[in-house]
Amino acid sequence: MENPGPWSAEAAAATGDRIRALRAQRGISLSELARRAGVGKATLSGLETGSRNPTAETLYAIAGQLGVPLAMLLSTPGEPLRVPEVRGTAVAAQLLEAFQDGGVSTELYRLEIRPGLLQTSPAHPAGVVEYLTVFSGTAQVGPVGEPVVVRAGEHASWVSDSPHTYAALGDEPVRASLLIRHPLQPLA
């Protein structure tokens, strides 16, 4: 299968290699990771071989079950960032920076939330916090059932260890930055 859009065959293969390596490090079978992440076994297999383009929702579900930040699936620590944009139902995210400091991984994304759509992100591991700063538009974000409205020039944060949503209110896309702080867990 061809890799259309911003995902090149090389980027898809590199992400697949990272997923497979992290899964192997944790001693989890492909079937078990697919079950835990709530994705089809064929989908996960296609991601690992680089023959499928991942969605944001799928990558977050896999990263959550592996107990790693999304950036660990998208890039190799210490190498320059050459990461394609990740798209979900409503959100397009571009990883701008990722670093580790004091047992915490920090990821900075440029975010666009398209109007008229709702995206639900799966729960991240315990202790993960997201910080959204809106530059234009109006967003509704946060835990399912408890979202907050964030207007241009405003900021919000929430613990994201439960499913949480992203939506643009009105007809204008939301342009924002998203900072995600992820406590790093040692390998078991």
Side-chain angles (χ1 to χ4, degrees), residues 71 81 94-99 106-109 179:
L81 284 178
Q94 178 68 53
L95 179 63
L96 300 175
E97 184 71 42
F99 60 91
T106 301
E107 303 166 297
L108 176 62
Y109 293 90
L179 187 81

Side-chain angles (χ1 to χ4, degrees), residues 31-98:
S31 296
E32 180 63 15
L33 179 57
R35 184 191 67 74
R36 289 181 190 178
V39 300
K41 185 177 172 182
T43 296
L44 180 57
S45 178
L47 291 175
E48 285 194 1
T49 61
S51 63
R52 291 187 87 130
N53 288 330
T55 65
E57 294 93 337
T58 299
L59 286 175
Y60 271 122
I62 292 167
Q65 292 307 309
L66 292 171
V68 299
L70 177 60
M72 287 188 74
L73 303 184
L74 298 176
S75 65
T76 302
E79 291 184 10
L81 284 178
R82 289 186 301 266
V83 180
E85 181 178 77
V86 177
R87 291 186 160 270
T89 303
V91 172
Q94 178 68 53
L95 179 63
L96 300 175
E97 184 71 42

Side-chain angles (χ1 to χ4, degrees), residues 20-42:
R20 188 174 38 261
L22 288 163
R23 180 176 60 74
Q25 284 176 345
R26 285 153 178 75
I28 303 171
S29 71
L30 186 134
S31 296
E32 180 63 15
L33 179 57
R35 184 191 67 74
R36 289 181 190 178
V39 300
K41 185 177 172 182

